[in-house]
């Protein structure tokens, strides 16, 4: 029997501030030495008073604006009470009825290839908990509070998604927005971003069942957990039984959800206002400056790249996934156009995109570089592409130059000039090597006359080798054809 899934996500992401949310301890959850970045405040010692991190709240305002939410005129902190070994105070400072951001939406159309906007309920901020380390035999558990007190954004969607694919698209687009804002690295592998999925199925538009799957830490696991839970709930309902409202965890090894506890409601946490932190309002922040500081976000950038550079949707999606790569591409095209004093045509932009996507990115991967380490600047990269597009150098020479540029940061035009690497295209200059190849390879000549097309490419290759890659392959091919008549 067919059921309609309804899915909501709660996405947590650690904010990239210098210090923790309510104290001056270093915000470095990757610190390898346990319980190093701790103090009486984040350890919950009696009498220690929390002071909100203004930079974390500024990030929250920018996140809210980026997702089209309303920044609350007034907001406050609350105590969320529950007991767990990694929560030293026995409560978590969070937000309940007056969060920083209310409402908003996430456009995931580009990721799905069809129009789709997901509504957002709220975005609030809280402190992260510590980390439990269990022994292999299960006999003991240690706790590391380095992560405890780190500012943690929680974005809650409306139950507005109807497939695992939509949920993954939502999480990926949010991750990209957080990275563009510089608010978080949002690295799931390192626990900087994680998701809870609320999954319901019914025969109509009602929510029907309700199960929450907690702490999913990869995009593939989000998809697998949701699909598994839909299948599990379907099987239960089809058997005539009821789905128990509960919190479950995702077992990434067994690829299944496992029961943890009955589903909590808000009243189970006994929320009450945090007495040590007074309510806040927008007057504490320069709202206009924060709005103006928001960079061009992924959605508008995709659209502009397609219109301005005449690239495909797939190419725009690829570039926008890495803000530094998108910037490098745009600056290289701009340098190229400034040099030519006209717009680059589609073939030239395609050449630049392909070299960037394949040759340069491949080189960076081998050398373990990112764009901040790269010695090739956009101007020199544009110059190299210009020489290749104009047949001033061969593609082979261009690839070799790219390696040298990555090592030395050299100007490609200067090296071509000094070392005589320019492509030879004149017929008179190429005719001598063509005739030599014909004399030295009689079998290839015979094969060509028998109709074996590969022999022509063989002879062109021999000529290119003799010219050390400087010959124009198109001109060489035509010269061979003329000489073989």
């Amino acid at each position: 029997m067919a059921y309609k899934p309804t899915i909501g996500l709660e996405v947590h992401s650690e904010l990239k501030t210098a210090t923790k949310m309510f104290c001056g301890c270093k915000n470095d959850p990757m610190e390898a030495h346990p319980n190093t970045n701790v103090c009486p405040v984040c350890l919950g010692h009696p009498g220690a008073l929390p002071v909100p991190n203004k930079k974390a709240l500024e990030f929250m305002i920018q996140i809210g604006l980026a997702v089209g939410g309303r920044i609350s005129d007034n907001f406050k902190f609350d105590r969320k009470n529950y007991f767990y070994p990694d929560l030293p105070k026995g409560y978590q400072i969070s937000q309940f009825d007056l969060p920083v951001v209310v409402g908003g939406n996430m456009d995931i159309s580009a990721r799905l290839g069809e129009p789709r906007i997901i509504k957002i309920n709220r975005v609030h901020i809280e402190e992260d908990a510590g980390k439990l380390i269990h022994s292999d035999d299960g006999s003991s558990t240690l706790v590391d509070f380095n992560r405890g007190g780190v500012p943690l954004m929680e974005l809650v969607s409306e139950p507005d998604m109807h497939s695992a694919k939509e949920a993954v698209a939502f999480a990926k687009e949010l991750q990209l927005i957080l990275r563009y804002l510089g608010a978080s690295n949002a690295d799931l592998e390192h626990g900087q971003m994680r998701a809870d999925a609320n999954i319901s199925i019914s025969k109509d538009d009602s929510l029907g069942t309700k199960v929450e799957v907690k702490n999913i830490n990869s995009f593939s696991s989000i998809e697998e957990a949701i699909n598994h839970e839909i299948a599990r709930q379907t099987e239960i309902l089809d058997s005539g039984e009821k789905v128990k409202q509960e919190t479950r965890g995702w077992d990434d090894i067994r690829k299944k959800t496992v029961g943890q506890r009955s589903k909590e409601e808000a009243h189970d946490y006994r929320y009450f206002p945090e007495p040590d932190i007074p309510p806040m309002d927008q007057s504490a922040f320069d709202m206009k400056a924060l709005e103006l500081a928001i960079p061009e976000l992924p959605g508008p950038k995709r659209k502009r790249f397609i219109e301005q550079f005449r690239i495909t949707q797939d190419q725009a999606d690829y570039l926008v996934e890495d803000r530094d790569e998108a910037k490098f591409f745009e600056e290289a095209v701009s340098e190229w156009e400034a040099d030519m004093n006209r717009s680059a045509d589609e073939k030239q932009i395609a050449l630049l995109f392909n070299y960037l996507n394949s040759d340069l990115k491949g080189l960076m991967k081998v050398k373990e570089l990112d764009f901040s380490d790269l010695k090739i600047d956009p101007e020199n990269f544009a110059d190299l592409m210009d020489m290749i597009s104009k047949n001033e150098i061969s593609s082979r020479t261009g690839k070799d130059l790219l390696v040298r540029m990555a090592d030395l940061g050299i100007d490609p035009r200067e090296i071509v000039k000094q070392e005589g690497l320019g492509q030879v295209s004149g017929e008179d200059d190429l005719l001598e090597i063509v005739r030599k190849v014909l004399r030295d390879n009689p079998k290839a000549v015979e094969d060509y006359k028998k109709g074996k097309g590969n022999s022509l490419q063989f002879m062109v290759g021999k000529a290119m080798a003799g010219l050390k890659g400087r010959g124009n392959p198109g001109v060489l091919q035509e010269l061979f054809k003329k000489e073989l008549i």
Side-chain angles (χ1 to χ4, degrees), residues 293-317:
I294 295 175
E296 183 181 35
L297 294 171
K301 189 180 288 287
R302 288 189 192 96
K303 183 178 180 182
R304 180 174 65 83
F305 271 27
I306 292 170
E307 293 174 352
Q308 182 176 345
F309 301 126
R310 301 174 302 285
I311 59 177
T312 67
Q313 180 72 58
D314 286 345
Q315 289 172 329
D317 290 345

Side-chain angles (χ1 to χ4, degrees), residues 137-197:
D137 61 4
S139 63
S140 64
T141 298
L142 302 176
V143 62
D144 178 8
F145 287 113
N146 281 336
R147 193 177 69 181
V150 166
L152 189 68
M153 175 217 77
E154 180 175 354
L155 183 146
V156 182
S157 84
E158 295 287 1
D160 201 26
M161 291 166 265
H162 301 292
S163 70
K165 184 178 179 182
E166 287 185 347
V168 171
F170 181 95
K172 285 185 174 180
E173 193 67 6
L174 175 59
Q175 180 193 58
L176 195 57
I177 288 172
L178 293 173
R179 288 176 172 177
Y180 266 62
L181 291 172
S184 175
N185 290 333
D187 190 331
L188 281 80
E189 183 180 348
H190 292 126
Q192 296 163 354
M193 179 173 167
R194 47 197 187 270
D196 303 337

Side-chain angles (χ1 to χ4, degrees), residues 106-309:
M106 183 76 67
D107 189 341
I108 58 172
S109 305
R111 294 189 179 276
L112 294 179
E114 60 184 88
R116 190 71 174 95
I117 295 176
I118 306 298
K119 294 188 289 294
I120 293 169
N121 177 281
R122 59 187 275 153
V123 191
H124 67 261
I125 190 164
E126 57 193 20
E127 58 180 338
D128 208 348
K131 182 180 180 181
L132 296 178
I133 299 100
H134 305 286
S135 62
D136 292 337
D137 61 4
S139 63
S140 64
T141 298
L142 302 176
V143 62
D144 178 8
F145 287 113
N146 281 336
R147 193 177 69 181
V150 166
L152 189 68
M153 175 217 77
E154 180 175 354
L155 183 146
V156 182
S157 84
E158 295 287 1
D160 201 26
M161 291 166 265
H162 301 292
S163 70
K165 184 178 179 182
E166 287 185 347
V168 171
F170 181 95
K172 285 185 174 180
E173 193 67 6
L174 175 59
Q175 180 193 58
L176 195 57
I177 288 172
L178 293 173
R179 288 176 172 177
Y180 266 62
L181 291 172
S184 175
N185 290 333
D187 190 331
L188 281 80
E189 183 180 348
H190 292 126
Q192 296 163 354
M193 179 173 167
R194 47 197 187 270
D196 303 337
N198 290 285
I199 304 150
S200 305
I201 64 171
S202 68
K203 296 178 184 178
D204 50 34
D205 290 331
S206 65
L207 291 180
T209 62
K210 187 175 182 182
V211 171
E212 182 180 29
V213 182
K214 298 283 285 185
N215 290 325
I216 312 172
N217 57 11
S218 73
F219 294 127
S220 60
S221 292
I222 291 174
E223 184 170 13
E224 291 170 339
I226 291 173
N227 284 334
H228 172 272
E229 191 57 29
I230 291 171
R232 187 188 72 86
Q233 293 182 32
T234 298
E235 185 177 348
I236 292 172
L237 293 180
D238 282 348
S239 68
E241 299 179 20
K242 288 186 177 181
V243 175
K244 182 170 64 174
Q245 180 173 317
E246 63 178 331
T247 297
R248 299 177 70 85
W250 173 246
D251 188 324
D252 204 30
I253 296 174
R254 294 187 290 167
K255 303 297 180 185
K256 61 185 293 186
T257 62
V258 293
Q260 292 182 331
R261 57 187 180 271
S262 60
K263 181 80 173 76
E264 300 93 339
E265 300 291 350
H267 60 76
D268 293 326
Y269 292 117
R270 302 184 345 272
Y271 281 101
F272 64 85
E274 168 56 64
D276 293 329
I277 304 176
M280 307 180 73
D281 59 47
Q282 291 188 17
S283 66
F285 306 93
D286 188 337
M287 299 296 291
K288 191 63 178 177
L290 290 173
E291 184 177 3
L292 291 173
I294 295 175
E296 183 181 35
L297 294 171
K301 189 180 288 287
R302 288 189 192 96
K303 183 178 180 182
R304 180 174 65 83
F305 271 27
I306 292 170
E307 293 174 352
Q308 182 176 345
F309 301 126

